[in-house]
Amino acid sequence: MSFESDTAIIVDCLSQFYKHSNSGNGRCIEQHPMQKLIDELELSKLVAEGGLSGDKLKHFLENYLSGITKIYHPGNVAHQQAVPHYMSALAGLIDNFVSSDGSTYEIGPASVSVEYFLINWLIGKVGWVPAPVPPEEQTDNHHAGGVLLQGGSLSNLTAIIAARTHIAPDVWQHGSPGDLVILAPKHTHYSIARAAGIIGIGHQSVRSLEVDNQGLIIVDRLPEVISEVKSQGKRILAVVANAANTAAGLFDPLQEIGLFCQEHDLWFHIDGAHGGPALLTQKYKHLTKGFNLASSITINMHKLMRVSSTCSALLMRDARTLDQAFVQQASYLFFDKEQPGYDFLHRTIECTKPVLGLKFFMVLAALGESGISDYIERLFDLTMEIYNYLESLPDFECPLEPQSNILCFLIHGVPEGQLLLREELLNRGMFYISTASINDVRYLRLTISNPETNLGHIKELVNELREIRDTGLSRK
Ligand SMILES: *Cc1c(COP(=O)(O)O)cnc(C)c1O
């Protein structure tokens, strides 16, 4: 049993897994019943025996990998999940080996420094004032700030918590006031409604903003909503807009909403969990116009930036709003100390925080800024190409023109419904797609993340869907 020899076994298995998945030969999804998997993986036996190493390790890992949906398969076009660059995996290895900490400088000076650097790098892209690097004198000059968190849901929750402390500074002593309302379009990610539940104002405090036929916020209707809320004696906790929305991947008119919020002194949260990285491109940067007007922004790295799950950035235009978000104190950690670095501890729900910056940094440093930009531009371009192709077919239809790497569509002539068609497609296993409901119609949905996926694969998908429609479903 040795680290070196077991690592060599793992690298070999992963390399086979990658090559086989990426070739597109074989299935990309296969779901067996859970008890069967637990038995096949021999979990009880391995726990009882111990000694997971060498051939035993190889056997286990091969079984394990065969039970994983193949992210590197070009037919995997389902979810908003990055197809990771291998540097992300290597960062994970380093990070899990040294088991540093992402929040406390004493424990992980280099880890915290990388995260601090990345937050400032993102802040620079948004166009805000970067935070001074400690221990430089903290000045009274207004600057931005942020933190890396485990996923967009946690970033959104933290943003809502900060907005709440901002509007109700005594909330940590007295609890949530009952007059707070969040305004968000209907298709907003469920994590916003969940955040409302968590902070104790309830789902019903999330009011749907009126949207156009593309599902995007109608800015002209905002004044009416604001006066309605005010006339009911309520206060607006935050206005939430999407960059982009989860179902269709479309961007709200951020600039206009941002100006409106500025004028009315409202907290403006941009949920850029999916599309935020468009900021890093030349060609699609225009979609993120208005980011600089936000109070807070969520951007995920594990969707469009080739970083493995999970890594999300929460950025705030005024760092003080994040610094004050949580006021509760733990005396053994929070005490004034002279130190050469920085603690993220007061900005997070977590105490021990995984190091999320290393994988983000190593992918970025491997591809370079232009490499990331090229990758994102190619995905968005290809999605538009797929849209044009599907629209040219007599029996396919897309409800909306795409703006990012998400595309909804349906195939005609399926009275059984698109969901049953998808189920049969997944049973066959060569393609993995998702679904979304838009204006109460159920669509099939593609998210293009794999650098190897091309129009040829989508043409095969079309053939397979037609075959299932024409033969597979009717025989059932
Ligand atoms: C994916 C997504 C989220 C949730 O992010 P997780 O990292 O999965 O928690 C939130 N908002 C939007 C717009 C998303 O696309």
Side-chain angles (χ1 to χ4, degrees):
M1 199 184 257
S2 87
F3 172 65
E4 290 79 3
S5 62
D6 283 342
T7 306
I9 289 170
I10 291 172
V11 169
D12 194 46
C13 286
L14 291 178
S15 167
Q16 301 287 341
F17 174 80
Y18 173 78
K19 284 180 193 146
H20 183 253
S21 305
N22 207 29
S23 73
N25 300 321
R27 302 173 63 125
C28 89
I29 180 165
E30 186 162 21
Q31 301 175 80
H32 294 297
M34 190 186 267
Q35 190 58 56
K36 180 167 182 271
L37 271 182
I38 290 175
D39 294 343
E40 282 174 3
L41 289 167
E42 302 182 306
L43 303 183
S44 319
K45 180 166 165 270
L46 288 169
V47 170
E49 285 178 4
L52 185 71
S53 179
D55 285 346
K56 209 172 189 173
L57 173 65
K58 182 167 190 279
H59 181 70
F60 168 74
L61 188 55
E62 282 170 353
N63 265 338
Y64 180 78
L65 294 174
S66 75
I68 297 281
T69 301
K70 313 279 179 299
I71 188 81
Y72 300 103
H73 193 293
N76 186 347
V77 284
H79 294 288
Q80 301 153 272
Q81 220 187 342
V83 174
H85 189 281
Y86 74 83
M87 264 312 161
S88 185
L90 295 184
L93 175 67
I94 299 168
D95 190 34
N96 288 314
F97 196 92
V98 300
S99 199
S100 179
D101 182 53
S103 54
T104 310
Y105 198 77
E106 275 183 11
I107 304 176
S111 319
V112 172
S113 300
V114 168
E115 299 205 3
Y116 201 90
F117 167 85
L118 289 167
I119 291 290
N120 261 347
W121 180 76
L122 287 168
I123 285 171
K125 297 291 173 192
V126 173
W128 289 339
V129 183
V133 176
E136 181 186 299
E137 281 293 299
Q138 294 277 336
T139 60
D140 285 338
N141 290 343
H142 158 105
H143 63 78
V147 63
L148 297 181
L149 296 170
Q150 295 197 79
S153 304
L154 205 51
S155 291
N156 284 343
L157 171 62
T158 307
I160 294 298
I161 288 173
R164 185 184 60 167
T165 311
H166 183 68
I167 199 170
D170 63 353
V171 64
W172 292 94
Q173 284 75 43
H174 299 122
S176 275
D179 63 346
L180 302 178
V181 170
I182 297 174
L183 302 177
K186 187 170 143 212
H187 288 299
T188 296
H189 190 266
Y190 72 84
S191 54
I192 294 293
R194 186 171 282 182
I198 294 170
I199 67 165
I201 63 172
H203 292 191
Q204 285 182 347
S205 305
V206 184
R207 304 264 179 98
S208 288
L209 285 172
E210 220 175 310
V211 293
D212 62 17
N213 53 16
Q214 295 193 89
L216 303 178
I217 296 173
I218 306 173
V219 182
D220 289 350
R221 306 309 282 265
L222 287 175
E224 214 172 298
V225 182
I226 308 283
S227 35
E228 192 186 301
V229 169
K230 282 191 179 150
S231 73
Q232 294 165 347
K234 306 262 185 188
R235 288 182 294 162
I236 293 162
L237 174 62
V239 176
V240 178
N242 293 304
N245 56 32
T246 307
L250 302 185
F251 290 72
D252 279 312
L254 305 170
Q255 171 96 349
E256 289 90 334
I257 301 166
L259 289 172
F260 179 86
C261 289
Q262 199 171 49
E263 188 185 325
H264 294 264
D265 197 21
L266 298 171
W267 186 286
F268 179 33
H269 177 65
I270 295 181
D271 184 357
H274 183 80
L279 189 65
L280 308 173
T281 67
Q282 279 311 311
K283 192 166 174 187
Y284 294 104
K285 197 183 164 141
H286 64 95
L287 295 168
T288 64
K289 205 163 167 226
F291 264 41
N292 60 327
L293 298 171
S295 315
S296 52
I297 307 175
T298 293
I299 303 180
N300 278 2
M301 310 311 144
H302 63 265
K303 286 180 171 175
L304 272 175
M305 289 191 60
R306 304 209 57 194
V307 174
S308 40
S309 302
T310 57
C311 178
S312 176
L314 172 62
L315 308 176
M316 301 225 179
R317 180 156 41 109
D318 183 345
R320 289 168 303 184
T321 55
L322 182 54
D323 290 333
Q324 288 154 11
F326 306 95
V327 296
Q328 205 187 10
Q329 309 240 317
S331 60
Y332 65 100
L333 293 168
F334 299 92
F335 53 88
D336 284 331
K337 55 186 171 187
E338 287 286 325
Q339 64 165 357
Y342 185 82
D343 291 340
F344 280 109
L345 215 49
H346 62 294
R347 292 184 173 181
T348 62
I349 291 169
E350 299 115 307
C351 177
T352 307
K353 187 174 91 67
V355 174
L356 301 166
L358 190 65
K359 55 186 178 179
F360 172 17
F361 176 78
M362 284 176 65
V363 170
L364 196 56
L367 293 171
E369 290 191 31
S370 66
I372 283 281
S373 168
D374 290 349
Y375 165 73
I376 296 170
E377 288 182 4
R378 182 189 165 274
L379 293 184
F380 286 21
D381 289 347
L382 175 59
T383 307
M384 184 53 96
E385 210 184 320
I386 295 169
Y387 166 77
N388 288 326
Y389 166 66
L390 292 180
E391 281 285 284
S392 75
L393 302 176
D395 52 346
F396 279 75
E397 172 188 329
C398 303
L400 299 165
E401 190 177 308
Q403 284 183 329
S404 60
N405 62 330
I406 297 177
L407 181 65
C408 293
F409 70 98
L410 57 73
I411 172 168
H412 295 158
V414 190
E416 299 90 344
Q418 306 289 314
L419 283 180
L420 271 183
L421 189 80
R422 173 179 178 269
E423 208 173 291
E424 177 55 25
L425 184 77
L426 267 55
N427 284 339
R428 294 180 175 207
M430 295 304 286
F431 289 95
Y432 182 25
I433 63 176
S434 53
T435 92
S437 168
I438 291 174
N439 299 331
D440 298 324
V441 179
R442 179 57 64 176
Y443 290 92
L444 301 173
R445 175 174 173 273
L446 305 177
T447 311
I448 310 292
S449 298
N450 193 329
E452 305 289 332
T453 301
N454 58 42
L455 191 59
H457 297 111
I458 304 303
K459 290 183 174 172
E460 286 170 32
L461 169 64
V462 163
N463 287 340
E464 183 139 354
L465 287 171
R466 281 174 171 161
E467 192 190 300
I468 294 170
R469 174 191 61 190
D470 298 340
T471 61
L473 284 176
S474 48
R475 254 190 279 121
K476 272 196 164 175

